[in-house]
Amino acid sequence: MKRVALIGATGSIGRQAIEIVEAHPELELCAAASGSTPLDDVDAPLKQVGGDLTELLERAEPDIVLNAVVGFAGIHATLWAMEHGVDLALANKESLVAAGELAAQAQARGGGRTLPVDSEHSALFQCLEERLPEQVHTLVLTGSGGPFRGRTRDELLNVTPEEALAHPTWRMGPKITVDSATLANKGLELIEAHFLFGVAYEQIEVVIQPTSIVHSLVRFRDGAALAHLGYPDMRVPISYALTYPDRAATPLPALDLTALTLEFESPDLETFPMLALAREAGEKGGSYPCAYNAANEVAVAAFLAGRIHFLGIADVVADALGRVDGSPARDLDELVEADRTARALADERLAVA
Ligand code: NAD
Ligand code: MG
């Protein structure tokens, strides 16, 4: 029996994770938590809505924590699992992006594993397995390009939240769906890949593959490239992480190769500045990635509330990144402070916008 603590149980990833757990007799839900949504229809011995989730994790004694919270709020569950040497199935990329080196230190102390749930990172993890970093030439993160791929900045001026929420290939929660439309999601994933795999930013590339069949690939130093292909369905990476290393069966059909189109293009960095801003924040290091994430969370919420237009999201983030000091956080308190400062700067900018 593997005891699974599911944090963020009512979301898009959380619901699909429950389906996976229910399908496997060797997986057992020992705890479930959400931010504010009731957990009445979730069957788990320990449940909590809101509040300090680390106490729940202490009591649950899980073998694996699936962190499916959205945003920086997932930081406590991520660091708890890492410090305690409990395996972490990580969907909550924002916590790793924000914590960066602090997470690496916690993981080194605790000695547990991080099993990525983000589809691109699950793909990279599988392509990389057991290979030495010096064998890697580049990691290539793929992205669909989102609903606005191919548009000009002028054509993005008046797009609505409804249009941004209509993702072409994935059904996800609202925050990550907007992030996919701005390419902030690929920006967060770039930083996530850097910290998960210890690969330098100049060795991580982003390429657009509109049908989301190629989930990412690794180029090796001998000229070989290994790619991970599959239909876009998060149950696959969730199941992979929860049943690792067994690769349990899922209900997905086998990939029909003759029915596929695989085309690749470069991302449009001028129209979608959030990707370049992420690279810059990642390369600067310190608490810049934390600030990037925090300002983005504030800006996306403002866009969804109709307070700013779509292109304003990147303006808010660029402005905050230009004003934070970016010094590294030495502990969780300093990290929470860096997050709060960047949020306050983003709020300030919104107030004058
Ligand atoms: P969602 O909005 O559908 O669900 C978010 C969940 O987090 C909900 O259960 C909510 O109650 C919970 N939550 C929010 N604030 C909380 C708090 N303070 N404490 C505890 N729980 C809290 O989001 P989602 O689409 O499921 O995404 C979850 C995470 O997974 C995000 O980090 C996202 O980037 C990542 N991810 C999602 C997908 C996807 O297909 N949905 C794919 C890759 C990565
Ligand atoms: Mg992803």
Side-chain angles (χ1 to χ4, degrees), residues 23-333:
H24 292 292
E26 70 279 15
L27 296 175
E28 166 186 65
L29 209 57
C30 64
S34 71
S36 54
T37 331
L39 292 162
D40 301 337
D41 59 339
V42 177
D43 185 18
L46 292 173
K47 297 197 267 191
Q48 188 174 314
V49 178
D52 178 357
L53 298 175
T54 57
E55 269 172 41
L56 180 80
L57 291 172
E58 293 284 350
R59 276 189 291 141
E61 298 183 5
D63 298 309
I64 186 164
V65 174
L66 171 46
N67 188 351
V69 171
V70 60
F72 184 76
I75 191 76
H76 306 285
T78 287
L79 291 178
W80 183 91
M82 287 176 161
E83 287 288 357
H84 288 76
V86 174
D87 283 352
L88 172 66
L90 184 69
N92 178 243
K93 65 192 91 187
E94 296 95 336
S95 59
L96 185 61
V97 166
E101 304 295 343
L102 278 185
Q105 291 159 17
Q107 184 112 52
R109 282 192 297 270
R113 292 178 295 204
T114 299
L115 301 161
V117 170
D118 214 348
S119 58
E120 296 78 2
H121 305 74
S122 177
L124 291 171
F125 180 86
Q126 293 173 56
C127 294
L128 279 168
E129 210 170 33
E130 305 297 321
R131 290 182 188 85
L132 301 169
E134 60 261 34
Q135 298 179 336
V136 173
H137 178 272
T138 23
L139 306 182
V140 184
L141 281 168
T142 53
S144 70
F148 303 140
R149 182 178 62 89
R151 296 214 195 172
T152 63
R153 285 183 71 79
D154 276 353
E155 290 167 336
L156 291 179
L157 272 174
N158 296 313
V159 294
T160 62
E162 289 66 36
E163 290 172 277
L165 288 172
H167 195 275
T169 56
W170 297 97
R171 294 286 153 266
M172 311 178 285
K175 191 263 179 181
I176 183 177
T177 307
V178 174
D179 285 349
S180 300
T182 61
L183 295 197
N185 184 49
K186 224 36 68 180
L188 292 167
E189 291 183 353
L190 171 72
I191 302 171
E192 180 186 15
H194 169 77
F195 285 117
L196 275 174
F197 305 117
V199 171
Y201 285 103
E202 65 260 27
Q203 280 174 275
I204 312 176
E205 233 175 71
V206 173
V207 134
I208 302 302
Q209 197 276 298
T211 55
S212 301
I213 295 293
V214 180
H215 295 140
S216 277
L217 48 99
V218 181
R219 294 196 193 98
F220 291 95
R221 62 180 172 187
D222 61 356
L226 295 189
H228 182 291
L229 278 68
Y231 293 117
D233 190 314
M234 288 307 293
R235 290 174 299 178
V236 177
I238 294 169
S239 177
Y240 181 84
L242 291 182
T243 67
Y244 182 81
D246 289 344
R247 199 187 279 278
T250 74
L252 263 85
L255 192 64
D256 180 357
L257 291 163
T258 55
L260 298 179
T261 47
L262 296 183
E263 287 168 341
F264 298 88
E265 58 190 59
S266 295
D268 177 350
L269 299 177
E270 263 88 69
T271 308
F272 301 99
M274 288 301 288
L275 183 52
L277 284 170
R279 190 175 282 281
E280 207 182 305
E283 280 169 351
K284 280 182 164 171
S287 58
Y288 281 105
C290 174
Y292 172 89
N293 176 67
N296 180 56
E297 286 191 36
V298 171
V300 169
F303 168 68
L304 286 173
R307 291 180 62 199
I308 55 171
H309 61 68
F310 183 76
L311 296 175
I313 297 173
D315 294 340
V316 169
V317 174
D319 176 70
L321 285 173
R323 294 200 287 151
V324 292
D325 78 16
S327 56
R330 285 165 298 185
D331 55 29
L332 179 56
D333 288 344

